[in-house]
Amino acid sequence: MELMKNNELTPKEIVEKLDSYIIGQEKAKKAVAVALRNRFRRLKLSDDIRDEVAPKNILMIGPTGVGKTEIARRLAKLCGAPFLKVEATKYTEVGYVGRDVESMIRDLMAVGYNDVKAEMEDALREKSVGIVEERLLDLLLPGTGKKDKKSQKPQTQIQPLGFITQQSPSELTIDLNKVAAEIQAEENAAESSQTENLETENAQTEEKDSAENHTREKFRQMLREGKLEDREIEMMVSRPNSGMPNMEIIAGGSIDDLQNSMQGLINMLNGGGRSRKKMITVKEARKILTEEVLDGMVDHDKVADEAKKRVEQSGIIFIDEIDKIAVHGESRGQDVSREGVQRDILPIVEGSNVNTKFGVVDTTHILFIAAGAFSVAAPSDLIPELQGRFPLRVELDSLHKEDFYKILKEPKNSLIMQYTKLLETEGVTLNISEEAIERMSFIAEDVNNRAENIGARRLHTIMEKVLSDISFDADEHKGETITIDAAYVDSKLTDVVQSEDLSRYIL
């Protein structure tokens, strides 16, 4: 099984695919494209050189909402690699209450395990259909499943001869041949009687089985045609919080891990792992049974081994808000803890072995992408050792109205497309004019300049405010086409456009 998908993409092709979702930021796209391509190149090296080539970790610098997280997320999807996004601020130095930095590796390993398990289940899904169908039929028609029709030949009970008594020493002759003949006659008579009874029972059983099989096949056909999807059946369903608690704390977890494990243990002791009978529809039962069957068909040891390979060779961790743990000036008070977090992150980024419930994971070749606005602190405020582990630094540009215009229209998941599709479900056709898009782009840039710059996230609040009334009254406009022009945008945002005090408006 390949560790990564699309492993023949060139850096230019990678950038082209990123362009489908992310507007601008060419320098950042180019940097991550080269980093990803180098990972593909490394896998083609001989074993003696491959381990010597370390990933070139990337530090993205730029304000919020300009695409840092989206670039990393799309990059991971593009290569099919295990990907985890974490915030540096949720970790604390060892000895403090909070999550330790090693938990990010355990979380990444869990992501990789789930990804591989899902792939293996997809490969086995076709084989599971027949098994699930039989189990559904067993629930619909109890007692009509396959039976063991091997009829065993009845064994004749041989009567013991008992004790042979002698009246006197002269009475020592017994006609053993006569005794054996009598026993054989009794056995033949008993066997003949039991054979006749068995043949009668078999005939009745076959007649009954034939009728049951005919009924079962009728239900099978109805099941395949979807005619029984809404029928309710009684089924044993596991309660939530079932299964053994996560005892990963044994492998070096934190206070949070210990609390989660103890809570899981409490839930299990309170009956959280038990099953109960529940009336559910055939449609719901099929989903539950499919999960159970696939889980039983998958080799969990192979899943763990493959996930470990992927995490170690192609895993990507995106550490956001790394500027929040940078220490500006002298270290004191809370800054000491922040610097401690940096020192704890350092060995993970450099390469170390981390215990997980799936085995020991080597972090040497995991790609780390860190990001931060660095509006207060600077990259140089990070400890020198950590700075050295992020040799590639990319500065992302602030977004302007031209960028906002493209973001609204061009990406595959553009906001215009999203809102248009949502309202189509209500039978409303939304027509947003070019002038309206330009006007919203201008307002987004203007508000970002006058208030806090939150980048493209400003477009979400603007779109929601412009279309809030239409979304609320959509059921009254079924079958209509609603046109949004610049005048309509201004009518909804006039207070924001005219007011200098933006703090009064949630925009």
Side-chain angles (χ1 to χ4, degrees), residues 328-431:
H328 184 62
E330 296 182 1
S331 301
R332 57 184 180 181
Q334 189 179 7
D335 290 342
V336 176
S337 177
R338 292 175 182 173
E339 186 171 322
V341 175
Q342 294 183 57
R343 296 194 181 280
D344 288 343
I345 291 177
L346 183 60
I348 303 295
V349 179
E350 285 181 334
S352 59
N353 294 326
V354 177
N355 290 319
T356 74
K357 62 182 178 183
F358 303 106
V360 178
V361 175
D362 184 3
T363 68
T364 303
H365 298 289
I366 294 176
L367 176 64
F368 290 87
I369 302 176
F374 290 99
S375 55
V376 177
S380 58
D381 290 324
L382 296 169
I383 60 174
E385 298 90 341
L386 190 59
Q387 292 182 49
R389 298 308 300 176
F390 290 90
L392 299 181
R393 297 186 183 181
V394 182
E395 188 170 351
L396 283 82
D397 303 319
S398 296
L399 300 176
H400 303 288
K401 62 181 181 181
E402 294 81 7
D403 301 310
F404 292 138
Y405 179 86
K406 293 178 181 179
I407 291 171
L408 284 172
K409 285 192 61 178
E410 295 182 4
K412 289 184 178 180
N413 59 340
S414 69
L415 287 177
I416 297 294
M417 182 272 293
Q418 292 179 33
Y419 279 94
T420 301
K421 295 296 183 182
L422 283 173
L423 288 171
E424 278 182 3
T425 63
E426 299 277 0
V428 178
T429 302
L430 192 63
N431 179 26

Side-chain angles (χ1 to χ4, degrees), residues 238-301:
S238 300
R239 293 181 180 179
N241 300 321
S242 62
M244 290 297 294
N246 179 11
M247 299 305 290
E248 201 171 87
I249 183 64
I250 298 174
S254 65
I255 294 296
D256 283 354
D257 297 323
L258 177 60
Q259 290 175 345
N260 293 335
S261 298
M262 294 306 296
Q263 185 62 46
L265 181 60
I266 292 171
N267 290 336
M268 187 187 71
L269 294 176
N270 288 337
R274 298 175 184 172
S275 299
R276 60 187 177 89
K277 288 186 177 180
K278 185 179 179 182
M279 296 299 294
I280 59 176
T281 63
V282 170
K283 184 177 181 180
E284 294 171 337
R286 181 183 283 105
K287 292 180 181 178
I288 296 172
L289 290 174
T290 300
E291 291 177 4
E292 291 180 357
V293 170
L294 288 174
D295 187 67
M297 295 174 71
V298 166
D299 187 333
H300 293 273
D301 290 335

Side-chain angles (χ1 to χ4, degrees), residues 63-325:
T64 183
V66 296
K68 301 187 296 294
T69 305
E70 188 67 9
I71 288 174
R73 188 168 66 88
R74 293 293 173 184
L75 186 72
K77 274 193 172 183
L78 188 61
C79 64
F83 173 77
L84 180 71
K85 175 185 179 293
V86 298
E87 286 77 34
T89 51
K90 77 176 181 179
Y91 299 104
T92 62
E93 186 180 2
V94 172
Y96 290 80
V97 176
R99 300 207 74 189
D100 67 278
V101 295
E102 288 188 350
S103 64
M104 71 172 71
I105 304 300
R106 294 193 286 272
D107 292 343
L108 180 66
M109 188 62 198
V111 171
Y113 181 89
N114 291 334
D115 289 345
V116 175
K117 184 170 180 282
E119 288 181 15
M120 289 190 176
E121 286 180 348
D122 286 341
L124 296 169
R125 195 168 297 276
E126 188 175 346
K127 292 183 179 179
S128 71
V129 172
I131 301 174
V132 172
E133 186 179 80
E134 292 298 330
R135 292 181 64 177
L136 281 173
L137 289 171
D138 290 341
L139 292 170
L140 287 163
L141 301 168
T144 64
K146 292 182 179 179
K147 302 179 180 66
D148 185 8
K149 296 185 177 180
K150 293 181 180 178
S151 56
Q152 296 181 351
K153 184 177 180 180
Q155 297 181 354
T156 305
Q157 297 291 334
I158 301 176
Q159 300 295 329
L161 293 175
F163 294 101
I164 301 176
T165 59
Q166 299 184 68
Q167 298 297 328
S168 65
S170 61
E171 296 177 351
L172 297 175
T173 58
I174 300 176
D175 191 350
L176 294 179
N177 291 331
K178 183 179 179 181
V179 172
E182 291 176 355
I183 293 174
Q184 185 64 42
E186 290 178 1
E187 288 181 356
N188 291 340
E191 183 176 348
S192 175
S193 175
Q194 291 184 7
T195 300
E196 290 178 1
N197 293 336
L198 183 60
E199 289 176 353
T200 303
E201 290 177 3
N202 285 341
Q204 293 174 350
T205 301
E206 287 178 2
E207 184 178 352
K208 181 181 177 182
D209 288 347
S210 177
E212 289 179 352
N213 289 337
H214 181 68
T215 304
R216 191 177 178 91
E217 291 305 315
K218 276 189 175 181
F219 270 74
R220 188 191 305 277
Q221 188 63 30
M222 293 170 66
L223 197 61
R224 292 176 178 176
E225 293 174 356
K227 295 179 179 179
L228 303 176
E229 294 297 284
D230 296 328
R231 173 172 290 200
E232 289 193 342
I233 54 177
E234 190 177 52
M235 180 178 171
M236 296 295 292
V237 180
S238 300
R239 293 181 180 179
N241 300 321
S242 62
M244 290 297 294
N246 179 11
M247 299 305 290
E248 201 171 87
I249 183 64
I250 298 174
S254 65
I255 294 296
D256 283 354
D257 297 323
L258 177 60
Q259 290 175 345
N260 293 335
S261 298
M262 294 306 296
Q263 185 62 46
L265 181 60
I266 292 171
N267 290 336
M268 187 187 71
L269 294 176
N270 288 337
R274 298 175 184 172
S275 299
R276 60 187 177 89
K277 288 186 177 180
K278 185 179 179 182
M279 296 299 294
I280 59 176
T281 63
V282 170
K283 184 177 181 180
E284 294 171 337
R286 181 183 283 105
K287 292 180 181 178
I288 296 172
L289 290 174
T290 300
E291 291 177 4
E292 291 180 357
V293 170
L294 288 174
D295 187 67
M297 295 174 71
V298 166
D299 187 333
H300 293 273
D301 290 335
K302 286 185 178 180
V303 172
D305 291 342
E306 177 64 21
K308 183 171 176 290
K309 289 179 184 178
R310 292 194 187 187
V311 166
E312 290 182 339
Q313 302 300 324
S314 61
I316 300 176
I317 293 182
F318 180 78
I319 307 176
D320 202 5
E321 298 181 352
I322 197 168
D323 57 316
K324 301 297 190 299
I325 60 171

Side-chain angles (χ1 to χ4, degrees), residues 10 33 36 42-43 62 77 85 90 183 221 261-262 355 363 382 387 433 438 448 481 485 491 497 500:
T10 65
L36 182 61
R42 175 183 166 272
L43 294 176
K77 274 193 172 183
K85 175 185 179 293
K90 77 176 181 179
I183 293 174
Q221 188 63 30
S261 298
M262 294 306 296
N355 290 319
T363 68
L382 296 169
Q387 292 182 49
S433 68
E438 291 177 356
N448 275 345
T481 298
D485 54 18
S491 68
V497 174
E500 293 295 330

